[in-house]
């Protein structure tokens, strides 16, 4: 490895931070395609993600890695499962934003880090410190407050949290690189995506893709805003502790939460304010633990 390149864990942190930042502002992009039905948009999103992945694969000469993964039955089955999970996640998220359920979508990704921590601890055998368990408890208390006032939209939040948490776990454990894995996932979803696009094109309303040049370009852009953050996330998932990655994810729903309050002008209830405070307290405790352990490591190495 080049001595000037960042260590894997550090580059994983940067990749994860970038992915969650992009996902946080994704609702602003969805405003551009709000007239496209959720099912149709997800279909086009998959269709335009694949060519972008293939171009990057060609530039990085990772074709042999894709072929090797396709010959491994276990890898292919795992990627089939992960592609199904991410497809469900996309559909529910787009539907939620287009139907004004911004806070429910935000809550889903507040729940997800807790799911990541539990998966990292009980499935991957990662160990949490006392401060990290305290952070988990504080964050869980905050989420519990919101759950109490969001029963009717709970299915949105739980579907988003569980689907993406399990997706990340599968991508961490599968023996394939970030980009080849995403390319195969997109290819596996291509047939149903084309079927969805064709069904809408044959309907009385016609395909949204051909309504205007502006809308068509916005739909094509969906491939970019899908491929780039997912690629960054897959890199982070393979290089970071899954528990740490889970807490980093609080960035995205916080941005979505703020967008719901400002851009989407949704009313904010006192219980949501209390949850927001508890979540960020948990993040502060978790970051404090990371910095304290890093300082202790430096003292031991001195």
């Amino acid at each position: 490895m080049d001595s000037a390149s960042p260590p894997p864990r550090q580059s994983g942190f940067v990749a994860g931070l970038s992915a969650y930042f992009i996902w946080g502002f994704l609702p602003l992009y969805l405003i551009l395609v709000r007239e496209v039905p959720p099912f149709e948009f997800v279909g086009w999103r998959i269709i335009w993600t694949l060519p972008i992945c293939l171009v990057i694969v060609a530039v990085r000469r990772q074709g042999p890695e894709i072929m090797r993964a396709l010959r491994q039955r276990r890898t292919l089955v795992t990627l089939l499962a992960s592609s199904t999970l991410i497809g469900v996640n996309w559909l529910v998220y787009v539907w939620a934003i287009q139907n004004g359920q911004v806070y429910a979508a935000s809550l889903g990704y507040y729940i997800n880090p807790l799911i990541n921590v539990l998966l990292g601890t009980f499935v991957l055998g990662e160990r949490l410190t006392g401060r990290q368990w305290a952070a988990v408890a504080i964050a869980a208390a905050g989420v519990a407050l919101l759950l109490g006032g969001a029963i009717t939209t709970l299915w949105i939040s739980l579907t988003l949290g569980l689907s993406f948490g399990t997706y990340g776990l599968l991508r961490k454990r599968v023996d394939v690189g970030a980009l080849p894995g995403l390319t195969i996932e997109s290819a596996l979803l291509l047939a149903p995506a084309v079927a969805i696009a064709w069904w809408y094109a044959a309907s009385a309303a016609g395909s949204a893709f051909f309504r205007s040049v502006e809308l068509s370009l916005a739909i094509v852009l969906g491939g970019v805003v899908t491929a780039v953050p997912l690629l960054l996330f897959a890199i982070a998932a393979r290089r970071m502790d899954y528990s740490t990655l889970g807490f980093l994810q609080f960035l995205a729903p916080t941005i979505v939460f703020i967008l719901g309050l400002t851009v989407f002008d949704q009313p904010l209830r006192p219980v949501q304010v209390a949850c927001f405070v508890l979540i960020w307290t948990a993040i502060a405790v978790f970051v404090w633990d990371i910095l304290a352990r890093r300082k202790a490591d430096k003292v031991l190495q001195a």
Side-chain angles (χ1 to χ4, degrees):
M1 183 173 63
D2 190 337
S3 60
S5 62
R9 192 173 296 269
Q10 179 181 338
S11 60
F13 179 83
V14 173
L17 190 68
S18 301
Y20 291 130
F21 188 82
I22 295 172
W23 277 325
F25 285 100
L26 185 61
L28 296 181
Y29 162 72
L30 294 179
I31 293 176
L32 300 177
V33 293
R34 59 184 176 273
E35 62 184 275
V36 184
F39 266 106
E40 183 181 5
F41 175 71
V42 171
W44 284 115
R45 188 177 185 180
I46 295 166
I47 290 170
W48 288 108
T49 296
L50 182 58
I52 293 172
C53 289
L54 290 174
V55 168
I56 303 175
V57 164
V59 171
R60 299 179 63 176
R61 299 180 180 178
Q62 290 184 294
E65 187 175 350
I66 290 179
M67 298 306 298
R68 183 168 59 252
L70 291 174
R71 290 192 292 267
Q72 298 173 351
R73 184 175 180 275
R74 182 176 179 179
T75 297
L76 196 57
V77 170
T78 303
L79 289 175
L80 178 60
S82 65
S83 64
T84 302
L85 287 167
I86 200 62
V88 170
N89 183 274
W90 289 345
L91 178 61
V92 174
Y93 185 80
V94 172
W95 184 92
I97 297 299
Q98 289 189 351
N99 285 272
Q101 300 295 340
V102 180
Y103 290 143
S106 175
L107 174 58
Y109 291 107
Y110 275 134
I111 294 174
N112 182 233
L114 301 178
I115 294 172
N116 286 359
V117 169
L118 294 176
L119 289 173
T121 302
F122 296 110
V123 179
L124 301 179
E126 298 173 359
R127 300 183 65 180
L128 299 184
T129 66
R131 281 189 292 255
Q132 288 174 335
W133 276 117
V136 171
I138 295 170
V143 170
L145 283 177
L146 274 186
L147 291 179
I151 297 298
T152 57
T153 58
L154 185 58
W155 69 272
I156 297 173
S157 304
L158 290 179
T159 301
L160 290 176
L162 289 169
S163 62
F164 199 73
T166 310
Y167 169 79
L169 178 65
L170 291 177
R171 286 308 308 268
K172 184 176 181 65
R173 304 189 76 176
V174 69
D175 185 24
V176 64
L179 178 59
L182 177 58
T183 304
I184 294 173
E185 286 175 335
S186 301
L188 290 171
L189 291 172
L190 183 61
V194 170
I196 290 171
W198 178 84
W199 188 86
Y200 275 96
S203 67
S207 174
F209 187 76
F210 300 103
R211 290 179 190 171
S212 68
V213 174
E214 293 80 7
L215 184 58
S216 298
L217 291 175
I219 292 174
V220 173
L221 182 61
V224 178
V225 299
T226 297
V228 172
L230 269 179
L231 176 58
L232 291 170
F233 172 80
I235 292 172
R238 290 176 63 84
R239 295 181 179 180
M240 296 177 63
D241 289 341
Y242 205 49
S243 302
T244 304
L245 179 63
F247 268 83
L248 184 61
Q249 187 179 343
F250 278 124
L251 173 64
T254 298
I255 295 174
V256 174
F257 190 87
I258 294 172
L259 290 177
L261 185 63
T262 56
V263 177
F264 291 89
D265 197 27
Q266 293 197 346
L268 182 62
R269 292 170 293 173
V271 66
Q272 293 168 323
V273 175
C275 174
F276 189 78
V277 172
L278 286 171
I279 290 292
W280 276 102
T281 301
I283 296 172
V285 172
F286 199 83
V287 171
W288 170 40
D289 177 75
I290 293 174
L291 294 177
R293 286 188 292 127
R294 185 175 298 175
K295 183 178 180 180
D297 289 341
K298 288 182 178 179
V299 171
L300 291 175
Q301 294 172 3

